[in-house]
Amino acid sequence: MSFHKQPKDDTQHQNHLDGTAKLLGLDLQEEAERSGLDNHFQRWIEDLKDVSNPELHQLVTDLQDLKAHFNGGSIDKDKVAQLLGRLGENTTKAAVFAENPNTAERVEKLGAALTAAAAQVK
């Protein structure tokens, strides 16, 4: 018997986007210590990989770098700010790939939350 991963529906994606945007407004260092941040990064990476869109590759790479950075112990604020800023910009641009307008709106909000988090870290 093989396991087939069920694709997420738009509501699941929207809930994840909302949760991630909310998480970015919290203390990222504190969230990293609770492992909540790691779980959000991993789900986000998996969602982006599932889309199989080469235009989203930089997002996946930056998320993997950010996840690894938070798991590495001490936080380099400049590096985190750089990654969050680039993620914010690229996430906002990626909203055009969302087929559902509600999902696109949430992707744009997430991009704004990432950009705001980058400014906060600086």
Side-chain angles (χ1 to χ4, degrees), residues 34-48:
R34 286 191 212 158
S35 81
L37 193 59
D38 187 66
N39 292 336
H40 274 278
F41 285 150
Q42 189 57 43
R43 282 194 306 256
W44 192 4
I45 291 165
E46 290 170 11
D47 286 350
L48 289 171

Side-chain angles (χ1 to χ4, degrees), residues 21-108:
K22 180 179 177 181
L23 182 72
L24 288 166
L26 303 174
D27 182 333
L28 296 179
Q29 179 66 42
E30 185 177 315
E31 291 303 312
E33 291 168 4
R34 286 191 212 158
S35 81
L37 193 59
D38 187 66
N39 292 336
H40 274 278
F41 285 150
Q42 189 57 43
R43 282 194 306 256
W44 192 4
I45 291 165
E46 290 170 11
D47 286 350
L48 289 171
K49 285 182 176 181
D50 287 346
V51 174
S52 297
N53 182 338
E55 296 288 328
L56 304 178
H57 178 73
Q58 187 63 52
L59 283 170
V60 172
T61 301
D62 286 344
L63 280 169
Q64 289 170 330
D65 287 349
L66 194 60
K67 180 182 172 192
H69 189 77
F70 273 102
N71 287 335
S74 66
I75 303 297
D76 178 347
K77 289 185 178 190
D78 291 335
K79 179 68 172 174
V80 169
Q82 175 191 19
L83 288 168
L84 287 172
R86 192 165 55 214
L87 281 164
E89 181 181 330
N90 289 332
T91 298
T92 301
K93 289 178 185 176
V96 300
F97 298 116
E99 295 176 14
N100 182 317
N102 291 328
T103 302
E105 179 183 341
R106 284 171 167 86
V107 172
E108 289 173 356

